[in-house]
Amino acid sequence: MKSLLPLLLVLLALPAWSASVPAPVGTGGAVASADPLATAVGLDILRAGGNAVDAAVATALALAVVYPEAGNLGGGGFAVLRIKGELAALDFRETAPAGARRDMYLDAAGKPLENASLVGPLAAGVPGSPAGLYELHRRYGKLPWARVVSPAQRLAAQGFRVSRHLYDTLSNEENRKLLLRFPETRGRWLPAGQPPAVGSLLRQPELAATLGRYAARGPEAITTGAAAAAVEKASREHGGVLTAADLAAYRPAWRTPLTFAAFGWKLASMPLPSSGGVILGQTLGILEKREWGKLPRFGADRDHLLAEALRRSFADRFLLGDPATTRATEAQLLAPEWIARRAEQIDPQHATPSAQVEPWPGAARTETPAAGGETTHLSVVDRDGNLVALTTTLNGLFGCGLWVQGAGFFLNNEMDDFATAPGKPNLFGLIQGEANAVAPGKRMLSSMAPVILWKGQEAYALGGRGGSRIPTHTLQVLLNLLVDGDSLQAALDRPRLHHQWLPDRLDVEPDALSPETRAELERRGHTVQISQVTAKVHAVHRLPDGRVEAASDPRGSGVGGVVDPE
Ligand code: DON
């Protein structure tokens, strides 16, 4: 018998990693979201005969009630769908208010005003969720609108038991500081300075009333009338420029999903104004060209290649912005010749310093339009195989911190996703370019990357929260699934790494690298840093035989569930 010693040594060199409980499998549809109550709402809607869109919208609205740090009516997001064989992408990203100005976050000397794009309503973009969720349902939903809104309204009116996660999030020092700044927010979320106790019943009558009107009258119930007036009043009182007219003028946009192929699968993700899909497509293209699948699964070669590919995709992100002002289009950045050039530039033994990696050289240099946080993700598949990947956000936890009395929801701080001052990193350390400067009505560049993929009868929907880590961590889950054949839960569990061009640093989760691999990466020129900052990915899977499964990232508070479990 051959000695098992070499195998044993390889196994010992693997990063410490343990799988959580396997994903549940069923036959009647699946939902994965950041909160068990929200997942339960989605599953109920599927049981009641709703399709994947009904369930996704109901889950998103439930998150606005039970997961207020990110679930929202006062934010925005993106959804990618595959329904009845048709692909679609809805952009309900926030826009800059009409009163926004290019230099609104700078002082008279041109220096960034501290926290102005993060704290308080000056940081808020025009919410896209009320019109966006309605539009998703209007086009593709099956159950009556009021039926889809009703579970969230009930949770707000009758209350829900405060989870340990919500309590801890409200108690966290940084969040407390933000929430205590605004009397309205303090009164609602930290009465007497304390969050509601774990297990206590939390009712939100203002939000229940808003949801009741939304159920009866659609988005105008929020974007006009009393709720919109309450938003304008709160914004004005705390130094914002957001008006009721901004809310009334907001429109979501159907976009052509970004499609590409990788490792034998077809993928559809979000086009601009999100950079998420381009980053996924480019990076997968580079990895495929460099034969990622043939490299040993664990060890420096793969980690090096991944870091180098991401470094290059994020350099190109610098050119991106709202489709009307972007300096490169998705088609240009995903062109096979460009991907091949990027792949060739990678030195397998040496990290290229980011200072030497320039964005795509063909970029438009003028203002001429080119041709052509806190976030949460949820994924749904129904019994017919329709899929929805939906990511929605307030940007930072609890957005700008202002909870609007009389409307019952938080306003986002999405304006920080613009390049608010030349060279200034945003909340996620991203340095962004001219294409993403603030202008009225413009959509700020995002990194969110809801994605759907399929091969024959098999399909997945996934995505995550986590700012710039959304595309990098979603990508690694995809590689685990498509290249290495991990089970759904194992693919989410594995430790991950992150590179975003600038800062020139490789961030790794604590268990991601063995000491030998870390040393080898450092030898190749990478600055390695341990980081707990992570995306939280939620995924559903339709197996080739039609059964479905759902799984949530073990780093978060979410849960996957199925209808008609095995
Ligand atoms: O759109 C974006 O890329 C960011 N506003 C997402 C923020 C986020 O994921 C925060 N979650 N940790």
Side-chain angles (χ1 to χ4, degrees):
M1 195 176 102
K2 270 164 70 182
S3 163
L4 289 180
L5 191 63
L7 176 64
L8 188 66
L9 289 179
V10 170
L11 290 175
L12 288 176
L14 298 183
W17 167 79
S18 59
S20 39
V21 184
V25 179
T27 52
V31 180
S33 88
D35 188 277
L37 291 173
T39 295
V41 163
L43 294 173
D44 276 348
I45 290 285
L46 291 177
R47 273 187 215 105
N51 66 16
V53 169
D54 295 321
V57 171
T59 306
L61 290 170
L63 287 167
V65 179
V66 301
Y67 195 75
E69 73 208 64
N72 68 80
L73 286 174
F78 300 112
V80 177
L81 302 82
R82 189 164 179 251
I83 184 153
K84 299 175 199 146
E86 196 178 303
L87 282 177
L90 186 71
D91 162 1
F92 55 104
R93 181 70 161 168
E94 297 91 325
T95 54
R101 293 292 171 263
R102 183 186 175 87
D103 59 357
M104 65 194 283
Y105 301 112
L106 305 178
D107 67 13
K111 291 225 170 63
L113 289 160
E114 188 156 349
N115 283 336
S117 63
L118 285 169
V119 177
L122 192 64
V126 184
S129 294
L133 296 175
Y134 184 80
E135 175 61 16
L136 267 180
H137 174 270
R138 188 195 66 75
R139 189 179 273 197
Y140 289 112
K142 194 166 138 200
L143 294 178
W145 171 243
R147 172 71 184 86
V148 171
V149 182
S150 64
Q153 192 204 352
R154 213 169 28 248
L155 282 166
Q158 294 174 6
F160 67 96
R161 299 279 163 200
V162 171
S163 65
R164 162 62 57 188
H165 172 82
L166 178 56
Y167 178 86
D168 288 347
T169 309
L170 289 165
S171 312
N172 164 291
E173 204 181 312
E174 212 171 306
N175 298 336
R176 259 178 73 83
K177 230 168 71 193
L178 176 69
L179 301 177
L180 288 171
R181 273 178 101 110
F182 303 101
E184 303 92 317
T185 314
R186 193 164 58 224
R188 166 77 266 176
W189 294 100
L190 297 169
Q194 289 308 316
V198 177
S200 64
L201 195 65
L202 179 65
R203 292 196 177 93
Q204 299 177 69
E206 304 87 345
L207 182 55
T210 298
L211 286 167
R213 291 193 294 266
Y214 188 41
R217 296 199 285 117
E220 284 75 30
I222 300 175
T223 60
T224 65
V231 169
E232 177 168 329
K233 178 168 175 284
S235 171
R236 196 179 317 111
E237 277 173 10
H238 295 284
V241 295
L242 191 60
T243 63
D246 287 323
L247 268 72
Y250 182 87
R251 296 286 175 274
W254 288 103
R255 310 247 182 225
T256 306
L258 203 57
T259 51
F260 41 89
F263 298 105
W265 288 73
K266 293 208 168 81
L267 297 94
S269 188
M270 204 58 213
L272 292 175
S274 188
S275 63
V278 194
I279 294 172
L280 285 182
Q282 256 198 351
T283 316
L284 283 168
I286 296 172
L287 296 180
E288 197 164 29
K289 270 248 159 314
R290 298 297 297 246
E291 303 196 303
W292 167 269
K294 292 195 180 153
L295 297 174
R297 176 150 202 199
F298 301 103
D301 286 347
R302 272 200 179 180
D303 295 341
H304 172 75
L305 181 57
L306 182 59
E308 291 305 301
L310 289 173
R311 184 199 302 283
R312 287 162 173 82
S313 307
F314 273 83
D316 285 352
R317 187 187 188 279
F318 186 78
L319 303 173
L320 302 177
D322 182 293
T325 55
T326 189
R327 293 187 167 192
T329 62
E330 299 95 326
Q332 289 168 326
L333 297 183
L334 291 175
E337 308 76 50
W338 179 235
I339 288 180
R341 241 185 72 214
R342 281 300 206 199
E344 278 159 25
Q345 288 164 353
I346 295 174
D347 178 337
Q349 286 303 318
H350 299 100
T352 316
S354 288
Q356 291 171 21
V357 177
E358 298 280 335
W360 178 64
R365 306 236 170 259
T366 64
E367 271 302 298
T368 324
E374 178 67 13
T375 307
T376 187
H377 178 87
L378 60 99
S379 299
V380 181
V381 56
D382 64 23
R383 65 172 67 242
D384 299 321
N386 299 313
L387 293 137
V388 178
L390 185 153
T391 315
T392 180
T393 185
L394 290 166
N395 195 30
L397 288 160
F398 305 104
C400 75
L402 179 62
W403 176 84
V404 180
Q405 198 154 31
F409 55 80
F410 279 99
L411 287 177
N412 65 84
N413 58 355
E414 218 74 56
M415 293 293 281
D416 188 67
D417 273 347
F418 279 117
T420 55
K424 180 175 181 277
N426 76 357
L427 183 61
F428 305 101
L430 292 165
I431 311 274
Q432 318 188 82
E434 178 58 34
N436 192 30
V438 182
K442 195 170 156 180
R443 283 160 151 89
M444 57 294 279
L445 185 64
S446 171
S447 304
M448 294 190 276
V451 60
I452 285 176
L453 48 146
W454 64 97
K455 183 161 89 172
Q457 294 303 306
E458 189 175 7
Y460 293 93
L462 64 152
R465 68 163 250 205
S468 56
R469 280 161 171 79
I470 294 172
T472 63
H473 286 195
T474 302
L475 175 90
Q476 286 164 84
V477 174
L478 286 175
L479 292 168
N480 292 339
L481 293 168
L482 310 189
V483 180
D484 296 312
D486 273 352
S487 72
L488 192 65
Q489 189 65 57
L492 295 175
D493 291 352
R494 287 190 190 278
R496 308 189 275 248
L497 47 83
H498 174 77
H499 202 299
Q500 61 179 49
W501 181 48
L502 297 172
D504 190 345
R505 200 179 65 213
L506 183 59
D507 286 341
V508 301
E509 287 193 292
D511 292 337
L513 306 179
S514 67
E516 297 75 17
T517 300
R518 179 177 179 157
E520 175 57 20
L521 287 168
E522 285 169 342
R523 196 194 62 74
R524 293 185 196 189
H526 294 280
T527 302
V528 178
Q529 179 173 294
I530 302 290
S531 169
Q532 303 270 11
V533 182
T534 175
K536 292 168 180 83
V537 181
H538 306 283
V540 295
H541 178 203
R542 181 177 205 262
L543 288 84
D545 63 8
R547 290 176 306 148
V548 292
E549 55 177 343
S552 273
D553 204 307
R555 299 154 183 83
S557 53
V559 62
V562 296
V563 177
D564 300 333
E566 286 192 334

